[in-house]
């Protein structure tokens, strides 16, 4: 298909697109030129199908999907989730939001049943950033008007969430953002104590158990518990952002479980829809949720809790439970992390500054961001999709599903070995690694 413009600037198009070139042209004409340029860096491949840990492109190539920003903990198109969504699609996909509707009630019950103790009330949304907005609004409703987030933290890009996301490149075009927002060093409990002590009873603290977009940054042992204790001591409000880390990604149901933390609100997303539909949630204590109990219209969304999405939530929770995906994430991560570390150290001496992770959230930090971009391309050239890190641009991030087979694991490690070797060959001035 060819896209053309007449002298008045009106754009016309031919038949429905089917080739990579057609789709790339549509990206440039109708979506983002920058996104089109990014696609070109990866050869303008077009993904058209997915199943389990693998995705397929229009030319028939298959790639091991270790990307997806944490969405695919149970792989793509898990049969249980697809079946539940299909059933709901053919019975009652969208509700009036006036009458009682059973799927949202059951989904809320299922989520509360696996949440940390004390978290009992649920508000469903679509995206992670909407869940963040929910948490921040609940804090505001309780009089906590000052926001403390952490340097390197990522919480989304709507206006409230963006205010908490500590990266100027995302914030600057949209200033002024929310006032009274402070970013503190992640892992520095004393800096947090100082801020809370200066504003007792005024502060909402939002923090991630592990900073995924920050580049898989793990906190010091016991830090999250210290945060909770400090928030309670100075009468603050604690929002735990588990949009990426929850649902088993860290080898625990929630990052909160690692240090037995109970926030006022916990945010869930990405994997909650089973890799089939977009859905998120804010799960709160009864006291934190109280402002939403008073008025059913004070915080709403047309597609909040719609039956089609709620069917996926119920099925996704069942899959994590019945297939022991939390345990599998622990076991697979325990095998992959030391192997990835050894390959990186062997093949890229002096170019890798750190390899770190927990469960199936693994980061490889390169000496500079350009190397991370090149490594992503080399991994793709060897059949693996991984992610960059939005707030940690020198970090290549692996978020593989917990359904990897032994063959899949070996494929990933072999691809990483070849990609790191090729990275050195492509840059002859770099010190060579490997044998």
């Amino acid at each position: 298909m060819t896209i053309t413009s007449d002298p008045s600037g009106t754009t016309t198009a031919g038949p429905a697109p089917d080739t990579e070139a057609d789709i790339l042209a549509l990206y440039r004409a109708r979506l983002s030129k920058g996104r089109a340029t990014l696609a070109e860096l990866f050869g303008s491949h077009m993904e058209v199908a997915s199943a389990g840990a693998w995705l397929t492109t229009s030319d028939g190539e298959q790639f091991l999907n270790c990307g997806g920003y944490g969405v695919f903990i149970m792989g793509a198109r898990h049969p249980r989730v697809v079946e539940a969504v299909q059933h709901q699609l053919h019975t009652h996909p969208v509700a009036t939001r006036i009458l009682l509707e059973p799927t949202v009630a059951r989904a809320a019950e299922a989520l509360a049943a696996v949440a940390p103790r004390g978290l009992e009330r649920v508000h469903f949304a679509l995206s992670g950033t909407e869940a963040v907005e929910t948490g921040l609004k609940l804090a505001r409703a309780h009089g906590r008007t000052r926001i403390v987030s952490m340097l390197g933290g990522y919480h989304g890009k709507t206006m409230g969430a963006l205010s908490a996301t500590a990266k100027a490149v995302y914030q600057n075009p949209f200033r002024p953002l929310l006032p009274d927002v402070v970013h503190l060093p992640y892992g520095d409990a004393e800096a947090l104590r100082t801020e809370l002590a200066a504003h007792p009873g005024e502060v909402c603290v939002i923090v991630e158990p592990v900073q995924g977009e920050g580049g898989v940054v793990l906190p010091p042992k016991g830090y999250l518990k210290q945060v909770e204790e400090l928030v309670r001591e100075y009468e603050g409000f604690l929002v735990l952002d588990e949009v990426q880390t929850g649902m088993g990604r860290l080898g625990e149901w929630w990052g909160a479980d690692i240090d037995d933390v109970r926030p006022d609100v916990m945010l869930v997303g990405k994997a909650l829809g089973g890799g089939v539909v977009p859905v998120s949630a804010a799960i709160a204590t009864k006291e934190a949720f109280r402002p939403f109990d008073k008025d059913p219209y004070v915080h709403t969304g047309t597609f909040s809790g719609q039956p089609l999405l709620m069917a996926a939530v119920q099925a996704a929770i069942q899959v994590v439970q019945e297939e022991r995906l939390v345990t599998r994430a622990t076991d697979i991560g325990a095998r992959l992390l030391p192997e990835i570390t050894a390959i990186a150290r062997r093949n890229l001496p002096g170019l890798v500054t750190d390899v770190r992770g927990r469960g199936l959230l693994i980061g490889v930090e390169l000496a500079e961001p350009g190397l991370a971009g090149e490594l992503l391309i080399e991994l793709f050239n060897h059949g693996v999709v991984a992610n960059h890190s939005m707030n940690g641009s020198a970090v290549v991030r692996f978020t593989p599903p917990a359904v990897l087979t032994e063959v899949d694991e070996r494929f990933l490690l072999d691809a990483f070995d070849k990609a790191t070797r090729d990275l050195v060959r492509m840059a002859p001035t770099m010190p060579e690694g490997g044998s």
Side-chain angles (χ1 to χ4, degrees):
M1 180 191 72
T2 302
I3 296 177
T4 59
S5 296
D6 64 23
S8 69
T10 301
T11 305
T12 59
D18 3 68
T19 70
E20 289 88 344
D22 293 333
I23 295 300
L24 190 63
L26 282 181
Y27 265 70
R28 292 196 186 282
R30 304 300 186 199
L31 297 167
S32 163
K33 291 181 180 179
R35 183 62 184 81
T37 299
L38 180 62
E40 286 182 303
L41 291 175
F42 287 87
S44 300
H45 287 266
M46 183 164 64
E47 57 184 91
V48 295
S50 58
W54 294 83
L55 64 85
T56 304
T57 59
S58 57
D59 55 6
E61 288 191 69
Q62 290 194 312
F63 294 84
L64 184 65
N65 188 4
C66 296
Y69 302 97
V71 168
F72 299 106
I73 192 68
M74 59 199 68
R77 292 198 306 114
H78 191 286
R80 176 77 67 85
V81 181
V82 170
E83 180 183 10
V85 169
Q86 285 179 331
H87 174 76
Q88 197 64 45
L89 178 66
H90 292 292
T91 53
H92 186 52
V94 179
T96 65
R97 292 183 53 77
I98 296 294
L99 309 179
L100 290 174
E101 195 284 306
T103 63
V104 66
R106 291 172 183 152
E109 174 66 13
L111 186 54
V114 297
R117 60 188 173 84
L119 298 179
E120 303 176 16
R121 309 301 286 276
V122 183
H123 172 82
F124 287 108
L126 294 178
S127 64
T129 193
E130 289 178 84
V132 171
E133 296 287 345
T134 302
L136 297 180
K137 287 177 72 175
L138 280 171
R140 282 287 180 98
H142 284 276
R144 275 58 168 210
T145 57
R146 188 174 183 84
I147 298 172
V148 170
S149 64
M150 308 306 158
L151 294 170
Y154 184 90
H155 304 288
K157 296 194 179 92
T158 51
M159 292 299 280
L162 181 60
S163 301
T165 293
K167 190 163 185 178
V169 70
Y170 305 136
Q171 293 182 331
N172 287 343
F174 308 106
R175 295 187 187 277
L177 300 172
L178 293 184
D180 300 323
V181 180
V182 176
H183 305 303
L184 300 178
Y186 186 62
D188 189 339
E190 286 309 306
L192 180 60
R193 178 187 294 277
T194 299
E195 178 65 25
L196 288 168
H199 303 277
E202 300 177 18
V203 177
C204 168
V205 176
I206 181 168
V207 64
E208 299 160 276
V210 174
Q211 291 187 326
E213 297 295 347
V216 192
V217 180
L218 281 68
K221 185 175 177 58
Y223 170 68
L224 287 181
K225 195 64 179 178
Q226 286 181 291
V227 169
E228 180 191 17
E229 291 169 351
L230 288 170
V231 168
R232 302 302 169 223
E233 181 179 350
Y234 294 101
E235 299 181 336
F237 191 95
L238 180 58
V239 177
L240 192 63
D241 187 342
E242 297 245 24
V243 170
Q244 184 166 162
T245 57
M247 297 286 289
R249 175 60 58 186
L250 300 181
E252 298 280 353
W253 257 102
W254 315 104
D257 295 338
I258 297 170
D259 288 329
D260 190 27
V261 171
R262 192 195 81 162
D264 296 290
V265 181
M266 185 176 75
L267 312 176
V268 191
K270 296 194 185 294
L272 186 60
V276 175
V277 298
V279 62
S280 65
I283 318 171
T285 64
K286 287 182 180 179
E287 173 59 23
F289 198 82
R290 183 166 43 82
F292 289 0
D293 277 331
K294 291 181 178 180
D295 184 344
Y297 295 110
V298 72
H299 181 70
T300 61
T302 301
F303 294 104
S304 171
Q306 288 292 4
L308 191 72
L309 311 182
M310 298 301 96
V313 168
Q314 293 175 71
I317 291 171
Q318 290 172 356
V319 168
V320 173
Q321 290 174 316
E322 294 174 10
E323 298 190 8
R324 300 174 62 249
L325 295 190
V326 175
T327 299
R328 290 175 69 174
T330 300
D331 294 344
I332 295 172
R335 291 192 294 269
L336 289 180
L337 182 58
E339 293 279 1
I340 288 174
T341 302
I343 293 169
R345 300 294 186 200
R346 181 177 70 243
N347 292 355
L348 299 174
L351 300 181
V352 170
T353 62
D354 196 17
V355 181
R356 53 187 177 262
R358 185 175 184 114
L360 290 177
L361 181 58
I362 298 171
V364 178
E365 184 169 1
L366 284 299
E368 53 96 358
L371 288 172
E374 291 297 327
L375 180 56
L376 281 170
I377 293 172
E378 293 300 337
L379 282 165
F380 187 81
N381 290 340
H382 290 287
V384 171
V385 174
N387 286 136
H388 67 291
S389 299
M390 291 189 182
N391 279 6
S393 55
V395 178
V396 170
R397 188 159 35 118
F398 296 93
T399 54
V403 297
L404 292 184
T405 65
E406 290 184 14
V407 173
D408 296 337
E409 291 179 41
R410 180 44 53 192
F411 182 92
L412 170 57
L413 295 172
D414 288 345
F416 185 66
D417 182 53
K418 294 171 185 175
T420 49
R421 290 174 181 269
D422 285 351
L423 181 62
V424 173
R425 294 192 191 101
M426 293 293 290
T429 59
M430 299 177 186
E432 293 206 11
S435 56

